[in-house]
Structure formats: C-alpha cells, structure tokens
Amino acid sequence: MTTDMRRKLVAGNWKMHGLSSDLAEIAVIAAASKRLPAVDVALCVPAVLVERAARAVPGFAIGGQDVHHAEQGAHTGNVSARMLLDAGAVLTIVGHSERRDAHRESDEEVRAKAETALACGLAVILCVGEPLEIREAGAAVQTVLAQLDGSLPRSLAGRPPLAVAYEPIWAIGTGKIPTGEEIAAMHAAIRKHIDDHYSDAGAAVRILYGGSVKGSNAPEIFAIADVDGALVGGASLKATDFLPIVEAAAAR
Ligand code: 13P
C-alpha cells in the first residue's frame, strides 16, 4: 500500500472538556465531515459523553480517550473497552502523554490497553512522543522507537484499524511545533519501524501528527511525507477551528 492509499484521519481529542451543551458542536462537525468523504474524521470525547454523542451523530466516529487493560473486574473508576463499545464508541486513544505522565502508564500497560481494545473491536490511536529535554539531547527518534517497541500491539490480524500518533510532549498545547524536517524524520522512522514490526499489515497503520495543530499550520503538516493525519486537542473543540483542519486533510 502506498501513502496515497492511506486515507487521512483527523481525530479530535476533547480531553476533559465537553458537556451536553456541546453536543450541538459535535453535530456541526459531523455534518460538515460528511460532506468531505475523502477524509476520516473522529472525535474522542469524555467517557460520560460518548453515549449521547454517538446517539446525536449516527454514523460519525465517536471515541473514548483511554480504556482499562482488563476486560472487566474490580477496577474502581475505570472504563473498559466493552463499555465504550456498548456506549457507541468505535475507537479509543491509548497511551496519551497526559496519561503516561499523570497516571504513570508504562509502555507495557499501553500495549495491554491497545491489545484489549482491538480484541474487543475498537480501533486504536496509540500515542508516543518525547519530552523537550530528550529532543534537545538529540535522542527523540530513538526514544520514540523504544516507546513503540514497548507499546505496539503484537498482532493486527483480523483487528480494527490501528493508528500511531506522534505527539511531541513539548508541542502539546504550547503553540510550538517541530520543524517540517523534524516531523518528516520522525514519521519516516516510525513508518519503517511499523513496516518492520508488522510486515505487510503495517501498511494500513496510519501515522498521525499531534501537538498544536491548527487550521493555519495544517496544510503544511499534511504535505509532509508519512503524515497520514492529525490528532488535535484544543482546536477540535469548536467546529470553526476544527473544520479548517479537516478541510486541509481532504485537500491532500
Ligand atoms: P493540542 O492540539 O491542544 O496541542 O493537543 C494535542 C493533543 O494532545 C492531542 O491528543
């Protein structure tokens, strides 16, 4: 499969934002996305909003932001993959740096989450990315490849789609983004790692860029080789900010 055969995916990560009063915003995003069939669009909303969001926009991809690695059990406060599916989600994020940091999630745990989610029928966006000191030390690529080594699911056979999101931690919510060369080098390294890891099945794995993506920088980011879409935080909360990013992906 060539890069051209991987449709772009633009996914919004609402993080801890979103109330029922925001369902109208989701409806606007879903309706506009329907008119852009060349790009896949999804919104990963807080777990308690998944069911209402999925009911409000049938056929539009609603996702969660995390799942527990166990299918069920004594895990107070956690959400399982089957619960997300039952609520109407079709995908979930795992391994976001905010969870790796605040909840001390290891690569091993992220892998277990991804494998459970895929086995239950959820598509997965698996996040990786380096902190600033690692970027400055010149060790970003080796660090991200080590994260992938530890957290990629072992097999994709018969599973829903997997995407990897490269999100440099220092670019999240800061307005800073890596240079085009830095994104290209990282995505090429991730592409090779995925192709080596999964052989032919790896070609279907999309590699998203995340971190301060906006309508203004999206066209240049999507023009970079091996960038198959974006994972968008702040700019996914409002249709007026998010849709220009979706349109930029559709224009590629
Ligand atoms: P921002 O787009 O707000 O920088 O967030 C990126 C992110 O963390 C998406 O998961």
Side-chain angles (χ1 to χ4, degrees):
M1 192 187 273
T2 67
T3 306
D4 288 350
M5 291 169 73
R6 278 188 291 272
R7 288 158 60 82
K8 293 251 188 302
L9 166 63
V10 179
N13 174 9
W14 275 25
K15 308 191 179 184
M16 203 169 71
H17 301 283
L19 300 170
S20 41
S21 51
D22 297 300
L23 291 170
E25 207 66 36
I26 296 177
V28 174
I29 290 169
S33 301
K34 214 171 166 180
R35 292 193 286 274
L36 297 167
V39 54
D40 292 334
V41 184
L43 286 178
C44 296
V45 299
V48 288
L49 204 58
V50 165
E51 180 152 12
R52 278 169 295 163
R55 279 187 203 280
V57 288
F60 179 80
I62 294 293
Q65 301 172 2
D66 180 48
V67 287
H68 198 273
H69 60 78
E71 286 200 22
Q72 60 184 9
H75 303 290
T76 303
N78 284 114
V79 172
S80 75
R82 284 175 55 208
M83 289 171 187
L84 283 180
L85 267 176
D86 188 45
V90 296
L91 77 154
T92 187
I93 297 169
V94 297
H96 193 283
S97 59
E98 287 153 14
R99 291 206 60 88
R100 288 178 184 263
D101 276 2
H103 301 268
R104 297 199 168 75
E105 290 187 7
S106 64
D107 287 339
E108 196 177 39
E109 185 174 0
V110 172
R111 169 184 278 152
K113 288 178 177 217
E115 289 186 341
T116 302
L118 290 169
C120 288
L122 289 172
V124 166
I125 298 175
L126 189 158
C127 302
V128 290
E130 83 286 354
L132 186 59
E133 60 273 19
I134 293 288
R135 166 64 61 183
E136 288 176 345
V141 170
Q142 75 193 66
T143 298
V144 165
L145 295 186
Q147 279 181 325
L148 285 175
D149 243 348
S151 52
L152 279 178
R154 289 180 189 86
S155 163
L156 300 179
R159 301 294 196 225
L162 171 73
V164 168
Y166 167 57
E167 299 205 309
I169 296 169
W170 51 275
I172 295 175
T174 59
K176 294 182 192 150
I177 61 167
T179 65
E181 289 75 24
E182 287 168 335
I183 295 176
M186 182 64 80
H187 279 237
I190 295 173
R191 180 85 261 151
K192 180 171 185 320
H193 190 89
I194 287 171
D195 290 345
D196 290 349
H197 190 83
Y198 295 119
S199 60
D200 287 354
V205 176
R206 290 182 280 202
I207 307 171
L208 315 181
Y209 169 78
S212 297
V213 177
K214 301 189 177 2
S216 53
N217 59 24
E220 52 189 292
I221 292 171
F222 293 142
I224 298 169
D226 296 315
V227 173
D228 304 313
L231 183 57
V232 184
S236 69
L237 295 170
K238 294 280 171 230
T240 47
D241 294 329
F242 191 53
L243 291 173
I245 300 172
V246 176
E247 284 158 11
R252 293 303 306 172

